[in-house]
């Protein structure tokens, strides 16, 4: 039990420190995302994507926008590209797993939409392919990442990078910011 308690205390300390130490650059980009999202409410879509735990967060955050989060309000047009198993498996099977998000963006993404990439590393091929398509379609791109931002930070300019190499800390920080 003592080891378990230390693990929880250490995790809370790491997540708290990562949030307290968010750089002013990250805060400016985060503020820009909030303002842009507010200005496009129900005129455009907010599209989320990510892999693994980040896929769960993409789905969770899109749901918060559509449903209500803290207050009853008009639904916000948001979707997660991680939830359509038919698309995911067909694209993965017929093309390649690296196209599971980009192919969906080709179909539903429109100029002026916002795409939020959730990634701990910024290195996943399917995220990188989606970012390329989003840029080509003039979709506004933002990333929530960690581990220095990876290759994704070279493709898109609005990167909110959590200063950690620990997946759990990065993902916990993304979820706090997303809320």
């Amino acid at each position: 039990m003592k080891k378990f308690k230390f693990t929880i205390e250490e995790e809370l300390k790491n997540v708290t420190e990562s949030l307290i130490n968010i750089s002013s650059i990250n805060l400016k980009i985060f503020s820009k995302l909030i303002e842009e999202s507010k200005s496009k409410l129900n005129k455009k879509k907010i599209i989320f994507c990510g892999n693994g735990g980040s896929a769960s967060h993409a789905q969770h955050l899109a749901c918060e926008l559509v449903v209500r989060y803290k207050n009853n309000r008009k639904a916000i047009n948001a979707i997660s590209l991680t939830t359509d198993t038919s698309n995911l498996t067909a694209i993965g099977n017929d093309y390649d797993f690296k196209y599971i998000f980009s192919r969906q963006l080709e179909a539903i993404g429109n100029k002026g939409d916002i795409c939020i990439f959730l990634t701990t590393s910024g290195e996943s091929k399917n995220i990188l392919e989606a970012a390329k398509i989003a840029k080509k379609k003039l979709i506004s791109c933002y990333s929530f990442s960690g581990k220095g931002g990876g290759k994704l930070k070279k493709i898109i300019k609005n990167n909110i990078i959590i200063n950690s190499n620990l997946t759990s800390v990065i993902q916990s920080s993304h979820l706090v910011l997303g809320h």
Side-chain angles (χ1 to χ4, degrees):
M1 187 64 147
K2 191 172 184 175
K3 183 176 181 176
F4 183 68
K5 182 178 177 187
F6 174 76
T7 302
I8 291 172
E9 289 171 351
E10 189 69 23
E11 190 72 13
L12 289 172
K13 177 180 164 266
N14 289 337
V15 171
T16 302
E17 284 178 6
S18 79
L19 291 168
I20 288 170
N21 294 318
I22 290 177
S23 72
S24 60
I25 294 169
N26 283 336
L27 291 176
K28 284 180 187 175
I29 294 168
F30 187 68
S31 294
K32 179 181 174 186
L33 170 60
I34 292 168
E35 292 306 313
E36 185 175 354
S37 297
K38 285 175 18 183
S39 75
K40 294 180 177 181
L41 283 180
N42 295 309
K43 298 174 193 157
K44 297 293 179 179
K45 289 183 294 303
I46 300 175
I47 304 165
F48 294 87
C49 64
N51 292 297
S54 296
S56 297
H57 289 170
Q59 184 175 347
H60 179 140
L61 295 173
C63 176
E64 296 286 20
L65 295 176
V66 171
V67 181
R68 69 182 294 246
Y69 185 51
K70 290 185 177 183
N71 303 307
N72 289 328
R73 53 155 168 76
K74 189 175 178 181
I76 296 170
N77 191 358
I79 188 168
S80 171
L81 301 181
T82 63
T83 59
D84 188 334
T85 54
S86 297
N87 268 333
L88 295 171
T89 57
I91 296 165
N93 185 61
D94 293 355
Y95 294 97
D96 189 274
F97 186 75
K98 74 179 182 180
Y99 300 114
I100 62 169
F101 300 135
S102 59
R103 186 72 174 171
Q104 291 182 80
L105 277 177
E106 285 179 44
I108 68 164
N110 297 306
K111 178 181 178 180
D113 286 344
I114 297 171
C115 189
I116 301 172
F117 302 98
L118 300 167
T119 171
T120 57
S121 68
E123 296 286 335
S124 300
K125 291 177 184 175
N126 56 12
I127 296 287
L128 300 174
E129 290 297 321
K132 292 173 192 172
I133 292 297
K135 277 187 68 174
K136 194 180 292 185
K137 292 192 79 167
L138 302 177
I139 296 170
S140 187
C141 298
Y142 292 85
S143 78
F144 287 66
S145 66
K147 301 180 183 176
K151 293 176 184 170
L152 186 59
K153 74 178 180 185
K154 295 174 182 158
I155 298 172
I156 66 171
K157 64 180 180 178
N158 295 312
N159 300 286
I160 300 163
I161 302 170
I162 302 302
N163 187 21
S164 179
N165 289 320
L166 299 172
T167 298
S168 61
V169 171
I170 296 164
Q171 289 180 339
S172 295
S173 298
H174 291 171
L175 195 55
V176 169
L177 290 171
H179 279 129

